[in-house]
Amino acid sequence: SSQQALAACYPNCTEPPEPIVTELMKNGGFQSTPDLTSWTVSGTASVVTSGGGVCSLGDRCALLGGGGLWVNSYDSIRQSVSLPSTAKKIQISFSVYAYAFSQSLWTSGEIFTFSLVDSYGRNIRTLKEISPNNYYFQGGYTGWKRFGPFDVTDLKGRSVRVTAKVSRWYSTDNLQWRVDGVSATATY
């Protein structure tokens, strides 16, 4: 047993400490009320309440692009997060679900971007960029897809804005992009 092994080498050895994992995001599952507590919203981004299982965690998730985006506009949600300088590892992950009401929407002019930006809105790192033309789905419901964990340990000690954004550059049709389970963890 580990206790016997520890006793056999005492006093020159100790058990390695269990890693401590801390969640850095607030309301990453969008369950807090009011709807987007801890998030800054641009455009028509909102929260969907899931009566029919449209959210991956709990009964609420963020909705981007579902409020009728105009050409050359965007919806976004973002949250400022300090990445601790003392962490051994920092990882970010999220889930996304895209839904189109018709097959023609899969070629619409929208793009979903999940990125880290600075306080001026300048891109630090794009973690995932998805357009209907390059995504894994082909029409109809796609189901939820988990992305990450993305290792961002090299950014420790910085303050970043974790950002989900849907941009439209043409077409008047729009997809619904749902975001849930946004997580940034620091391991010590």
Side-chain angles (χ1 to χ4, degrees), residues 53-122:
V54 295
C55 296
S56 71
L57 302 171
D59 63 349
R60 299 159 65 91
C61 53
L63 173 66
L64 287 80
L69 282 178
W70 296 97
V71 174
N72 298 320
S73 67
Y74 69 92
D75 277 357
S76 72
I77 55 172
R78 68 180 184 276
Q79 185 175 138
S80 294
V81 176
S82 293
L83 305 178
S85 60
T86 56
K88 291 182 180 176
K89 180 181 270 189
I90 302 171
Q91 296 180 311
I92 296 177
S93 57
F94 67 96
S95 295
V96 67
Y97 167 103
Y99 176 75
F101 295 104
S102 73
Q103 186 71 29
S104 66
L105 294 180
W106 295 111
T107 58
S108 72
E110 287 185 6
I111 194 160
F112 173 88
T113 308
F114 196 91
S115 59
L116 305 178
V117 300
D118 67 15
S119 61
Y120 297 102
R122 295 178 298 212

